[in-house]
Structure formats: structure tokens, C-alpha cells
Amino acid sequence: MPTISTKKKNSNGKASGSAFKKEIYLSWYEEMYRIRKFEERALMLYSKQKIRGFCHVYIGQEAVAAGIKSALRPSDNMVTAYRQHGLALSKGLSSRSCMAELFGKATGCVKGKGGSMHFFSREHNFFGGNGIVGAQIPIGTGIAFAEKYRKTDTVTVTMFGDGAARQGALHESFNMAMTWKLPVLYICENNQYAMGTSVSRTSNVTDLWKLGLSYEMPSEAVDGMDPEKVHAAIEKAAAHIRSGKGPYYLEIKTYRYRGHSVSDPAKYRTKDELEHYKDLDPLEIIEERMLKSKFASKDEIEAMQAKIKEEIDEAVQFAEDSPFPEAHELYEYNYLQEDYPFIKD
Amino acid sequence: MSRIITLRDALNEAMSEEMRRDDSVFLMGEEVAQYNGAYKVSKGMLDEFGPERVIDTPIAELGFAGIGVGAAMNGLRPIVEFMTWNFAVLAFDQIVNNAAKTLSQSAGEFSCPIVFRGPSGAAGQLAQQHSQTFESWMANTPGLKVVSIIDPYDSKGLLKSAIRDNDPVCFMESEIMYGLKGEVPEEEYLVPIGLAAVRREGTDVTIVSYNKSTILANKAAEELAKEGISAEVIDLRTIRPLDYQTIVDSVKKTNRLVVVDEAWPFAGVSAEVAYEIQKYAFDYLDAPVTRVNSADTSLPYAPTLVEEYMPNAAKVIKAVKEVSYVK
């Protein structure tokens, strides 16, 4: 069973506690709780057929999104794959625009054009939302190329899963990013299963962080169940990148509690393994630390939860009430050329 | 003032002028910088624009095409050169799944103003993997525009338009035509994407072609003229969007159509043109639309087999006589 060495819930009684300020813990909790509740509602609505198509949820991986957000700037770029709802929310897309997109409504973040796998927002520097495993790795490298070309100090976070780490696109990108010292932060969210195939079944090399070493890229493994550790690792990597030294690669070890997509019963793993990770649940860990450090009382946490639940309820209502796109919108956003002569017969 | 220059230099001028005009334009690809281009299309550009804007890549088509797409999404205007479109097959994921779909799947949050360019088509005895045409492959995909052209004047004007276009453009050249000479003005000009050109006016039959097949079409038209058959020759120039109107107008005059298309026959440009003409000029046709394609096989190495495989002027003349019911 693949495991992460994080100690179980501070069982020795020592709070690993308050390495960060109160506000950061509160923001982590809020971020992670929003993602968890959003995804739980998405699953429920999928079973009611309000949401269709593919739907890959982020439950279990929330600490990664939270740690990235707190360690980086809103102006930094992000591109990821199709398990993206949580990351999009953490980049600042609203719950309502994301929920409406899942419903396929005209008020969705991409007007009902993308659905679960394709959220985008220029305003929030969120470059999607890519449905082809690993294809976003060269794209993220190119987004970073443009930042270097313009001589900014923006970091481009390029996220991918352990499955994508086996694509040739990763190696081509790593090679060029190091050759040209591009300001890109590669993050492999290793949730240990490429759909139903475990990491150890797809390669002789199971320490995915080592893939960066062939290109002499600074590469590390990070415990992804704890926002503190994610934040610390990203802060260090971002400083390296902003100083002009080129890319950095983090393998963040995490776990998805649910199947690959809603149609996956996840029979390829054991109950014990799932329970092990649920014991490491980042929401519970952070709640406990907040209570222990007296950053928030039980009542205050419950109030925060109630507020987010209300936000999600409101988002669902908004999605429900919104119209589907009109038929003529099919022809919009295929070309920027306004009079493009589509073949219509 | 006009000069006679080669297709190679016309393309070079188009890129260089656009790079002088717009700092966000850059060129990347294999051998484009220090080597001056595998076919010398980018000769001198490294010296003028420096290594930040004329960039040699490793041999990694998928990777650098994707880097181009990301850069385009983030505000630049990349020109990505493929040494041949045969190698671009490795990058089809980025062209088809990303460049073509960025605008649609992001509902306009992001666009992808990029040019993918390089030679398409057979170039002698290069055998199976180096001899394919890709116009219809790329033109099948909504979101892309496809230009295919060898005329130096039009190539320059169209490449400049492609670089300024806000949509992704696949630009197809020909490796054996880079030395083709033509008259090109010194003054700046653009040729718009989406318009065909009538290369030769005629009254008896319309011959539609593109890229280097236009040479066969013209040669055939010259021969046919000697026999009293007046052929109108149309160079499509742009494959997507295709300029149907120019063909329909011509067929209304000539009542006969032959399509010369170096691509394979199945579901290609020739089939598309034939469909549109039967639909929009049915009453004007005096004979079935006929086409001259490469053989429905892979292209082998031996010269006899290349000769058998490729369209040529004799095959075009034979097709024209068929539709003209002339022996």
C-alpha cells in the first residue's frame, strides 16, 4: 500500500501547530471546505443528472490547492488537467460560475461551452481545464515562455497527475524548460492512480519527483495532505523561479477519496488504503490545529462552514435558474473572425 | 517597384516584416536559427532578431508546438516551423486538441493566434513517410484555418495575413518549390485568407488546384490550348475557409470541372469541392466532376512507382478530355 509518512493527526499531542499566521489557517480551511462542499454537491447533482458528461472530483486533494494559493500571487498563472474544479475555485473563479458551468448553463464561467473539464478565466489567470492527459504540460511551459519573453516575474504553475507523468510531452517540456530556464513550476499531483492503474504498474520509476533529475531540474517530493507542507515547498520553489533560475518540479503526494470519475467504483484499491488517507484528511488536520492554537473556536468554524454551505446552495440555485445557451451560440467562439463562413449545409 | 525573388525569400520577408512590426511575433522550430532554416527560409533572421525571437528547438514537435500554443494563449504570436508537415503529425494533439479548440472551450477567455508552417506534399523519391499532404487533415477541424500556396507574391501576402490573424493558421508550403521565382513588390501588401485566385481565364473547363498542383494545372491548360480547349485555372490558395463562390462562378461559365489535388482521393479537398459544386452548380454541369489525385496508396521510393503515384499534366489533360467528351 502506498503511504505518506505524515503522522496521524498529531497523535503525539504536539501541535505541529502554528508555523503560519492565523489568517492563513483560516483561509486554508475556508478554501478546502469550499472545494469539499462544492465537489460533494457536484457528485449529488450528477446522480440527479443535473450535471452530465465526465466529472472528476478533487475530494481528498484540497490541501494542494490551498497550499498553492497561499504561497503564490493571484497574478501567477495556472494550467491543469480535467480534475480542476478545486483548483479553479482556489484561483478565484466563483462557486456560482463554476456550478453553472457544470450545469452547462449560459452563465457558466465559459458559457456552457466547456463543462466539468474546461473551466477558464483570463481575469484569474486560470488557463484551464485540459481534457487530454499531459497536453497541458507543454502549454504551461509555453505560458511561462511568454512570461520570460516579456521579462515578468510571474510564475506559471503547470499541474498534472501521476498518469500524465508517463507522457512524452512531460519529457519534451522538462527538457526545453530547463534549456531555456523558463519560469514554470511543475506540480505532479500524485494521487497514486492513473484512472485505475497504480503508479507502480506504469513504470520502474515510482518516485515521480526523480523524473526531473534527468534534466537537472530541482525536484522534490512533498506531503500533499498538509497545506503547511505544500505552502512551504511552493514558497521555496517560487522564490527559485522568480530569481530567474528556471523551472522547479514538485511531486505532491496526495490521494483522491473518490473514483477517477463519477462512473468509477475504484475497485482497484483496498478499504484500508482509503481509510488510511481519510485519517490524514487535511480539513480535519487544519481544524484540529486551529482549535489547538485557538485561532478559531468550534462555533466560529461552524459559522464558517454554514457560510460556505450557503454559498454553495446559492450557486446551485443560480445554476438551476440560469438559462441554457441559445442554439445560435453554437457558432460563437469557433473563430475570432466575425464573418467566418461556416459550412451549414 | 517589383523584384523577382524566390518563394523562400518571400516567406522570409513576410516573417521578418511582421517581426519588425510586432514584438510579440517570434519564430521557433528545428534548425530555424543557427542553421538558417532546414530550407533556408529563415536565413539571416537570427542575426536580425536575436536568439530570444528566433529559437532553435530540440527535435520535439509535440513539445514545441504545445509551447507555441501556451505562448499564444498568453499574448504572443508564435510562428512554429515544422521541417515538414509529416513531422507535425507528432504535434497533432496540440494543433487539433488545443490550438483549434482554445477559443471554443474557453468561450473566448483565451484565443490562440499562432501560425504552424512548413512544407506539405511529396518532394521526389522521399518514400512513404516524407511525402504526404496534410491540407485536408487540418482543414477538417473547425477552429483552424488552412493556407496552401507556392506563388511567391501570394505566399508573402498570405503569410503576413496569417501572422496577423487572431485565429490559428496552418500554412502549407512545398519543399521543392522554395526556389520558385516570382514578382514581388518592395512595398508592403497583404493577401487576404479565404479567397481563391483565377490564374488563367478560360471558357471550356475549370481546373481547380492548390499548392504545387497548380503548376500541373497551368501546364495542362497550355497544352490544351494548343488543341483548342480553353481551360480556366483556379488556385484555391486557402483551403479553410474554402472560396466556393469563385469555383461556382467559373463552373457556371465553363460547365465542366476537374479538381487536381495531390492528396489522396478519400474524403479530401477534391471530394469537398465536388460535393459543393454538385450542390450549387448542378444545373450548370455538362459532365460529372472529375478529379486527379495521388494514388490511393502510400508513396514508394522507386522512380517508376513515384511516376505512377503522382498527378501529372498528362493525367490532368486526360481528365479534362473526359469531362469534355473529347478523345
Side-chain angles (χ1 to χ4, degrees):
Chain A
M1 181 171 88
T3 56
I4 288 172
S5 61
T6 304
K7 282 181 188 159
K8 215 174 156 180
K9 287 193 189 173
N10 307 326
S11 53
N12 60 4
K14 283 183 194 169
S16 59
S18 50
F20 293 86
K21 283 184 195 162
K22 172 184 166 181
E23 292 72 31
I24 293 192
Y25 286 92
L26 293 176
S27 72
W28 282 336
Y29 191 80
E30 184 188 333
E31 205 60 57
M32 295 194 295
Y33 194 78
R34 175 179 293 108
I35 295 170
R36 178 74 53 96
K37 291 298 137 185
F38 182 95
E39 296 288 56
E40 286 173 357
R41 282 303 280 281
L43 285 174
M44 200 182 86
L45 292 160
Y46 196 93
S47 68
K48 290 182 174 174
Q49 302 196 342
K50 291 285 183 186
I51 298 170
R52 310 299 296 263
F54 291 129
C55 187
H56 313 81
V57 299
Y58 202 65
I59 296 171
Q61 302 182 206
E62 296 90 342
V64 182
I68 293 172
K69 180 175 186 172
S70 61
L72 292 180
R73 303 170 185 167
S75 55
D76 290 325
N77 303 315
M78 179 183 283
V79 65
T80 186
Y82 44 80
R83 195 178 307 286
Q84 52 141 10
H85 311 162
L87 292 162
L89 290 167
S90 77
K91 275 301 276 176
L93 280 78
S94 69
S95 299
R96 48 163 42 201
S97 76
C98 292
M99 191 60 81
E101 190 56 39
L102 293 182
F103 275 60
K105 296 298 183 74
T107 54
C109 58
V110 292
K111 302 180 169 65
K113 293 249 178 178
S116 168
M117 296 186 287
H118 308 295
F119 295 177
F120 291 80
S121 172
R122 179 70 262 190
E123 179 193 350
H124 299 98
N125 302 306
F126 187 70
F127 286 72
N130 198 302
I132 309 295
V133 176
Q136 76 281 11
I137 305 173
I139 292 176
T141 309
I143 295 166
F145 176 94
E147 298 297 343
K148 183 174 169 107
Y149 191 91
R150 286 193 292 260
K151 301 185 169 57
T152 72
D153 68 346
T154 298
V155 170
T156 297
V157 183
T158 300
M159 316 277 296
F160 51 92
D162 45 284
R166 306 308 189 195
Q167 288 274 26
L170 173 131
H171 295 274
E172 297 186 16
S173 300
F174 276 18
N175 183 41
M176 283 182 270
M178 274 307 285
T179 306
W180 300 334
K181 301 291 179 284
L182 301 180
V184 55
L185 170 52
Y186 294 110
I187 293 180
C188 174
E189 286 182 282
N190 178 2
N191 66 20
Q192 308 179 31
Y193 291 91
M195 201 165 152
T197 307
S198 67
V199 167
S200 61
R201 292 173 58 214
T202 58
S203 172
N204 181 49
V205 181
T206 54
D207 286 326
L208 297 175
W209 63 273
K210 288 182 182 166
L211 298 179
L213 301 180
S214 310
Y215 305 96
E216 300 175 354
M217 191 185 297
S219 305
E220 288 166 28
V222 182
D223 168 6
M225 301 306 278
D226 185 342
E228 289 187 14
K229 291 178 181 159
V230 175
H231 179 109
I234 295 209
E235 201 167 49
K236 180 180 156 199
H240 175 93
I241 295 165
R242 285 195 222 282
S243 73
K245 291 180 189 154
Y248 211 100
Y249 172 38
L250 298 173
E251 176 200 354
I252 303 189
K253 291 175 189 281
T254 181
Y255 200 77
R256 62 170 151 79
Y257 296 174
R258 308 297 173 120
H260 166 73
S261 68
V262 289
S263 59
D264 171 20
K267 287 183 177 163
Y268 41 81
R269 56 190 192 185
T270 64
K271 274 195 175 148
D272 284 354
E273 181 179 303
L274 183 58
E275 288 312 313
H276 167 80
Y277 284 100
K278 286 192 169 173
D279 279 350
L280 302 172
D281 189 66
L283 279 148
E284 288 181 29
I285 288 173
I286 293 302
E287 182 175 348
E288 200 168 316
R289 284 181 199 161
M290 288 195 303
L291 290 168
K292 195 162 282 202
S293 310
K294 301 205 181 337
F295 288 157
S297 67
K298 196 80 192 161
D299 285 350
E300 284 166 333
I301 291 171
E302 280 172 12
M304 197 193 298
Q305 291 173 340
K307 200 174 146 221
I308 289 167
K309 280 182 192 159
E310 200 178 306
E311 174 190 322
I312 305 297
D313 285 344
E314 195 275 332
V316 173
Q317 195 61 50
F318 172 76
E320 192 76 72
D321 294 344
S322 293
F324 283 110
E326 304 267 342
H328 69 82
E329 291 177 49
L330 176 62
Y331 288 96
E332 289 177 12
Y333 304 115
N334 285 276
Y335 292 92
L336 281 173
Q337 181 186 335
E338 281 177 15
D339 56 351
Y340 183 85
F342 292 97
I343 298 171
K344 292 187 177 180
D345 59 0
Chain B
M1 278 290 286
S2 270
R3 315 133 296 155
I4 305 289
I5 63 171
T6 60
L7 170 61
R8 170 184 292 114
D9 291 340
L11 295 167
N12 182 305
E13 286 185 2
M15 292 193 288
S16 298
E17 286 176 18
E18 292 307 302
M19 285 178 67
R20 283 175 212 130
R21 177 180 174 267
D22 181 350
D23 285 344
S24 69
V25 180
F26 71 96
L27 172 67
M28 75 190 318
E30 294 153 4
E31 309 288 3
V32 298
Q34 288 195 17
Y35 194 83
N36 279 313
Y39 297 103
K40 307 296 173 210
V41 172
S42 54
K43 191 175 180 185
M45 290 178 66
L46 173 64
D47 289 344
E48 177 173 356
F49 299 104
E52 285 173 1
R53 296 183 70 196
V54 181
I55 301 156
D56 278 329
T57 65
I59 301 170
E61 284 82 5
L62 173 63
F64 68 73
I67 288 173
V69 169
M73 288 175 76
N74 197 13
L76 301 186
R77 288 183 172 271
I79 306 168
V80 172
E81 177 176 310
F82 296 117
M83 202 178 289
T84 131
W85 273 92
N86 294 284
F87 304 162
V89 175
L90 286 133
F92 272 17
D93 176 49
Q94 288 296 340
I95 302 170
V96 172
N97 281 325
N98 288 310
K101 294 176 176 57
T102 293
L103 188 71
S104 173
Q105 66 191 6
S106 75
E109 290 288 309
F110 294 92
S111 61
C112 194
I114 188 168
V115 175
F116 298 105
R117 51 158 288 270
S120 171
Q125 292 175 257
L126 297 182
Q128 288 81 355
Q129 295 174 332
H130 284 71
S131 304
Q132 303 165 91
T133 63
F134 288 95
E135 285 80 356
S136 65
W137 287 67
M138 309 323 293
N140 190 246
T141 304
L144 299 177
K145 294 179 179 177
V146 179
V147 173
S148 182
I149 185 79
I150 55 156
D151 177 77
Y153 174 92
D154 283 340
S155 291
K156 180 176 175 183
L158 276 160
L159 183 53
K160 283 167 69 76
S161 292
I163 294 166
R164 291 187 199 186
D165 203 287
N166 291 320
D167 294 309
V169 181
C170 298
F171 199 93
M172 315 263 180
E173 302 155 12
S174 166
E175 61 208 88
I176 53 174
M177 289 293 150
Y178 284 126
L180 180 71
K181 287 181 178 165
E183 206 168 291
V184 174
E186 280 175 17
E187 303 78 44
E188 180 166 50
Y189 65 96
L190 296 170
V191 175
I193 291 174
L195 291 180
V198 177
R199 295 293 187 206
R200 178 189 176 103
E201 293 198 0
T203 53
D204 299 335
V205 61
T206 301
I207 306 175
V208 166
S209 65
Y210 63 93
N211 202 291
K212 69 174 181 291
S213 292
T214 54
I215 291 177
L216 307 180
N218 279 315
K219 201 188 269 181
E222 275 169 35
E223 292 299 318
L224 288 161
K226 292 175 194 163
E227 299 181 40
I229 297 174
S230 163
E232 180 143 301
V233 176
I234 295 175
D235 182 349
L236 292 174
R237 300 197 291 192
T238 299
I239 307 302
R240 185 183 185 98
L242 198 68
D243 177 5
Y244 299 107
Q245 195 58 51
T246 296
I247 310 170
V248 169
D249 290 347
S250 176
V251 169
K252 283 182 177 176
K253 184 172 65 174
T254 64
N255 313 115
R256 298 166 208 279
L257 175 62
V258 170
V259 187
V260 187
D261 176 5
E262 192 193 306
W264 291 308
F266 189 86
V269 174
S270 61
E272 174 60 23
V273 169
Y275 169 80
E276 290 288 333
I277 294 309
Q278 66 79 31
K279 173 102 180 170
Y280 291 103
F282 186 75
D283 290 339
Y284 295 89
L285 284 172
D286 286 345
V289 176
T290 296
R291 59 187 180 180
V292 178
N293 293 104
S294 288
D296 192 20
T297 67
S298 291
L299 174 60
Y301 169 71
T304 47
L305 300 178
V306 174
E307 178 63 23
E308 180 63 18
Y309 172 95
M310 291 290 290
N312 57 35
K315 292 176 186 177
V316 178
I317 291 167
K318 183 165 171 278
V320 167
K321 288 185 174 174
E322 261 173 42
V323 300
S324 307
Y325 304 113
V326 171
K327 288 200 175 168

